[in-house]
Amino acid sequence: MLRIAIAAASIAAAVITAFMAPPVEAQGSRVQIGTLRCSLSSSIGMVVGSERNVSCIFRADNAPDEAYEGRLTKIGLDLGFTTGGKIIWAAFANTNRYEGMLSGRYVGATAEASIAVGLGANVLVGGSSGSVALQPLSIQEQTGFDVAAGVGELTLHLAGPPH
Protein backbone atom coordinates (compact mmCIF):
# COMPACT_ATOMS: atom_id res chain seq x y z
CA MET A 1 0.00 0.00 0.00
CA LEU A 2 2.85 2.39 0.85
CA ARG A 3 4.47 1.74 -2.55
CA ILE A 4 1.20 2.56 -4.31
CA ALA A 5 0.84 5.77 -2.28
CA ILE A 6 4.41 6.84 -3.05
CA ALA A 7 3.97 6.08 -6.77
CA ALA A 8 0.69 7.98 -6.86
CA ALA A 9 2.25 10.92 -5.01
CA SER A 10 5.11 10.97 -7.54
CA ILE A 11 2.69 10.98 -10.47
CA ALA A 12 0.62 13.73 -8.86
CA ALA A 13 3.78 15.78 -8.21
CA ALA A 14 4.74 15.49 -11.89
CA VAL A 15 1.26 16.57 -12.96
CA ILE A 16 1.36 19.51 -10.53
CA THR A 17 4.73 20.59 -11.90
CA ALA A 18 3.30 20.55 -15.43
CA PHE A 19 0.32 22.65 -14.29
CA MET A 20 2.61 25.26 -12.72
CA ALA A 21 4.23 26.12 -16.06
CA PRO A 22 2.96 29.48 -17.32
CA PRO A 23 0.46 28.95 -20.15
CA VAL A 24 1.82 31.59 -22.51
CA GLU A 25 -0.53 30.83 -25.41
CA ALA A 26 -3.55 30.31 -23.17
CA GLN A 27 -3.17 33.69 -21.51
CA GLY A 28 -3.36 35.69 -24.76
CA SER A 29 -3.80 39.34 -23.80
CA ARG A 30 -4.85 38.59 -20.21
CA VAL A 31 -3.15 40.52 -17.42
CA GLN A 32 -3.05 39.79 -13.72
CA ILE A 33 -5.88 41.67 -11.97
CA GLY A 34 -5.27 40.41 -8.42
CA THR A 35 -4.98 37.35 -6.18
CA LEU A 36 -7.63 35.00 -4.84
CA ARG A 37 -6.85 33.41 -1.45
CA CYS A 38 -9.11 30.52 -0.53
CA SER A 39 -9.68 28.32 2.50
CA LEU A 40 -10.90 24.81 1.67
CA SER A 41 -13.12 22.58 3.81
CA SER A 42 -12.19 18.98 4.60
CA SER A 43 -12.86 16.33 1.97
CA ILE A 44 -13.45 12.60 1.60
CA GLY A 45 -12.61 11.19 -1.84
CA MET A 46 -15.40 9.04 -3.25
CA VAL A 47 -13.24 7.20 -5.83
CA VAL A 48 -14.71 9.14 -8.77
CA GLY A 49 -14.86 12.58 -7.20
CA SER A 50 -15.15 14.89 -4.20
CA GLU A 51 -16.58 18.25 -3.15
CA ARG A 52 -15.15 20.97 -0.89
CA ASN A 53 -16.61 24.26 0.26
CA VAL A 54 -14.41 27.30 -0.37
CA SER A 55 -14.26 30.71 1.29
CA CYS A 56 -12.13 33.25 -0.59
CA ILE A 57 -10.87 36.84 -0.53
CA PHE A 58 -10.02 38.56 -3.83
CA ARG A 59 -7.40 41.30 -3.51
CA ALA A 60 -6.40 43.79 -6.18
CA ASP A 61 -4.38 47.00 -6.14
CA ASN A 62 -6.38 50.17 -5.56
CA ALA A 63 -9.68 48.33 -5.00
CA PRO A 64 -11.56 47.03 -1.97
CA ASP A 65 -11.31 43.32 -1.10
CA GLU A 66 -14.16 41.10 -2.28
CA ALA A 67 -15.35 38.01 -0.37
CA TYR A 68 -16.45 34.95 -2.36
CA GLU A 69 -17.93 31.61 -1.36
CA GLY A 70 -18.43 28.50 -3.42
CA ARG A 71 -17.65 24.87 -4.04
CA LEU A 72 -14.67 23.02 -5.55
CA THR A 73 -15.75 19.74 -7.19
CA LYS A 74 -13.34 17.17 -8.63
CA ILE A 75 -14.26 14.44 -11.09
CA GLY A 76 -11.71 11.70 -11.71
CA LEU A 77 -9.60 9.52 -9.42
CA ASP A 78 -9.98 10.71 -5.81
CA LEU A 79 -9.10 8.34 -2.97
CA GLY A 80 -8.68 9.27 0.69
CA PHE A 81 -9.44 12.19 2.99
CA THR A 82 -8.02 15.63 3.74
CA THR A 83 -8.54 18.23 6.41
CA GLY A 84 -9.12 21.84 5.42
CA GLY A 85 -6.48 23.53 3.31
CA LYS A 86 -5.49 26.77 1.59
CA ILE A 87 -4.68 27.79 -1.97
CA ILE A 88 -3.71 31.10 -3.60
CA TRP A 89 -4.48 31.80 -7.25
CA ALA A 90 -3.34 34.65 -9.49
CA ALA A 91 -6.42 35.97 -11.32
CA PHE A 92 -5.92 36.96 -14.97
CA ALA A 93 -8.47 38.71 -17.23
CA ASN A 94 -8.54 40.48 -20.57
CA THR A 95 -10.92 43.16 -19.24
CA ASN A 96 -10.75 45.77 -16.52
CA ARG A 97 -11.66 44.57 -13.06
CA TYR A 98 -15.23 45.17 -11.85
CA GLU A 99 -17.14 44.12 -8.75
CA GLY A 100 -18.19 40.48 -8.79
CA MET A 101 -16.24 39.58 -11.92
CA LEU A 102 -14.93 36.36 -10.35
CA SER A 103 -18.48 35.06 -9.85
CA GLY A 104 -19.21 32.09 -12.07
CA ARG A 105 -18.05 28.62 -12.97
CA TYR A 106 -14.40 27.64 -13.61
CA VAL A 107 -13.20 24.36 -15.10
CA GLY A 108 -9.72 22.92 -15.54
CA ALA A 109 -7.11 20.32 -14.62
CA THR A 110 -6.48 19.35 -11.00
CA ALA A 111 -4.09 17.07 -9.10
CA GLU A 112 -3.16 16.52 -5.47
CA ALA A 113 -1.41 14.03 -3.19
CA SER A 114 -1.29 13.90 0.60
CA ILE A 115 0.52 11.55 2.94
CA ALA A 116 0.20 13.41 6.27
CA VAL A 117 1.07 16.75 4.58
CA GLY A 118 0.11 17.23 0.96
CA LEU A 119 0.26 19.35 -2.16
CA GLY A 120 -2.19 20.13 -4.92
CA ALA A 121 -2.74 22.44 -7.87
CA ASN A 122 -5.76 23.55 -9.87
CA VAL A 123 -5.50 25.52 -13.13
CA LEU A 124 -8.97 26.87 -13.95
CA VAL A 125 -10.64 29.07 -16.58
CA GLY A 126 -14.13 30.58 -16.43
CA GLY A 127 -15.84 33.19 -14.29
CA SER A 128 -17.68 36.14 -15.76
CA SER A 129 -18.31 35.23 -19.43
CA GLY A 130 -15.30 32.88 -19.38
CA SER A 131 -12.98 35.88 -19.21
CA VAL A 132 -10.99 34.95 -16.07
CA ALA A 133 -8.15 32.44 -15.63
CA LEU A 134 -6.95 31.26 -12.21
CA GLN A 135 -3.36 30.02 -11.95
CA PRO A 136 -1.87 28.69 -8.71
CA LEU A 137 0.56 31.17 -7.13
CA SER A 138 1.34 28.76 -4.33
CA ILE A 139 0.79 25.05 -4.18
CA GLN A 140 -2.33 24.00 -2.30
CA GLU A 141 -1.58 23.07 1.33
CA GLN A 142 -3.53 20.36 3.12
CA THR A 143 -3.14 17.43 5.52
CA GLY A 144 -4.52 13.89 5.29
CA PHE A 145 -4.08 10.83 3.07
CA ASP A 146 -5.33 11.44 -0.46
CA VAL A 147 -4.47 10.95 -4.11
CA ALA A 148 -6.52 12.75 -6.77
CA ALA A 149 -6.24 13.73 -10.43
CA GLY A 150 -8.86 14.76 -12.93
CA VAL A 151 -11.06 17.70 -13.86
CA GLY A 152 -11.88 20.36 -11.31
CA GLU A 153 -14.84 22.73 -11.23
CA LEU A 154 -14.92 25.80 -9.01
CA THR A 155 -18.15 27.74 -8.59
CA LEU A 156 -17.87 31.18 -6.93
CA HIS A 157 -20.37 33.85 -5.90
CA LEU A 158 -20.00 37.10 -3.98
CA ALA A 159 -20.32 36.52 -0.22
CA GLY A 160 -20.63 39.78 1.70
CA PRO A 161 -18.12 42.22 3.03
CA PRO A 162 -14.83 40.52 4.11
CA HIS A 163 -14.20 40.17 7.82
Side-chain angles (χ1 to χ4, degrees), residues 16 19-20 40 52 72-74 87-89 108-112 120-124 134-136 138 140 151-154:
I16 290 167
F19 290 157
M20 296 298 289
L40 308 169
R52 299 174 93 167
L72 178 62
T73 304
K74 295 179 185 171
I87 189 167
I88 302 171
W89 280 291
T110 182
E112 64 184 59
N122 305 274
V123 179
L124 307 170
L134 300 175
Q135 268 189 286
S138 70
Q140 176 179 323
V151 175
E153 176 185 69
L154 175 66

Side-chain angles (χ1 to χ4, degrees), residues 125-148:
V125 176
S128 178
S129 303
S131 64
V132 180
L134 300 175
Q135 268 189 286
L137 270 185
S138 70
I139 294 177
Q140 176 179 323
E141 301 171 14
Q142 61 193 19
T143 58
F145 179 81
D146 183 61
V147 175

Side-chain angles (χ1 to χ4, degrees), residues 4 29 54 88 96 107 114 144-146 158:
I4 293 171
S29 62
V54 297
I88 302 171
N96 291 332
V107 178
S114 299
F145 179 81
D146 183 61
L158 276 173

Side-chain angles (χ1 to χ4, degrees), residues 52-64:
R52 299 174 93 167
N53 292 326
V54 297
S55 176
C56 307
I57 299 292
F58 177 59
R59 290 203 165 114
D61 292 338
N62 303 318

